């Protein structure tokens, strides 16, 4: 199984970024997909998940700023981020599993290598 993220970068506070993740080596549509993030010195934390049926769930800190989506035909999951804050700076990881992943990293079966998001003030 291979997950490949893209779309990270440097953005000013208040800006937007769209992260993408493509998966191969498994039946994409059968899995729950999502995103975690990890800032230096902090634990990896849940950002968002999207279920097989398209149900969305977000971490409390998102507060309507991020939107997760999936395209089963392209084996892809996306994270549209808006109103970015300096505290959103972290490495963002694509994550997949046969079941829900909102309960933490221990629930994740597959990880991407991560993409850096840096938000300047």
């Amino acid at each position: 199984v291979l997950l490949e993220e893209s779309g990270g970068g440097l953005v000013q506070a208040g800006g937007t970024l769209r992260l993408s993740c493509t998966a191969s080596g498994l039946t994409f549509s059968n899995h729950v997909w999502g995103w975690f993030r990890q800032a230096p010195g902090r634990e990896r934390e849940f950002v968002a998940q999207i279920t097989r049926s398209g149900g969305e769930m977000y971490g409390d800190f998102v507060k309507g700023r991020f939107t997760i989506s999936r395209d089963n035909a392209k084996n892809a999951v996306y994270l549209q981020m808006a109103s970015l804050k300096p505290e959103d700076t972290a490495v963002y990881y694509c994550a997949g599993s046969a079941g829900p992943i909102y309960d933490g990293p221990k629930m994740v079966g597959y990880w991407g290598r991560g993409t850096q998001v840096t938000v300047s003030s």
Side-chain angles (χ1 to χ4, degrees):
V1 177
L2 179 64
L3 307 183
E4 296 185 279
E5 301 104 332
S6 61
L10 174 65
V11 64
Q12 289 188 329
T16 63
L17 277 177
R18 185 186 192 224
L19 305 184
S20 300
C21 171
T22 56
S24 58
L26 78 173
T27 305
F28 183 88
S29 60
N30 287 351
H31 291 75
V32 175
W33 295 98
W35 296 88
F36 282 73
R37 71 183 188 182
Q38 189 166 19
R42 301 190 66 176
E43 294 186 351
R44 194 168 295 191
E45 66 176 340
F46 171 74
V47 177
Q49 77 166 30
I50 186 165
T51 65
R52 298 175 194 82
S53 60
E56 302 168 29
M57 184 175 290
Y58 299 92
D60 290 341
F61 65 88
V62 171
K63 298 187 186 302
R65 300 181 298 127
F66 299 175
T67 302
I68 190 170
S69 60
R70 62 189 291 164
D71 185 338
N72 289 339
K74 296 182 178 180
N75 287 4
V77 59
Y78 308 99
L79 186 68
Q80 180 70 45
M81 303 187 292
S83 302
L84 283 163
K85 307 174 183 179
E87 51 263 44
D88 293 317
T89 295
V91 177
Y92 283 70
Y93 295 90
C94 180
S97 183
I101 60 175
Y102 63 84
D103 203 26
K106 62 183 183 296
M107 307 302 292
V108 175
Y110 310 105
W111 290 103
R113 296 179 66 178
T115 185
Q116 176 70 47
V117 171
T118 303
V119 184
S120 63
S121 58

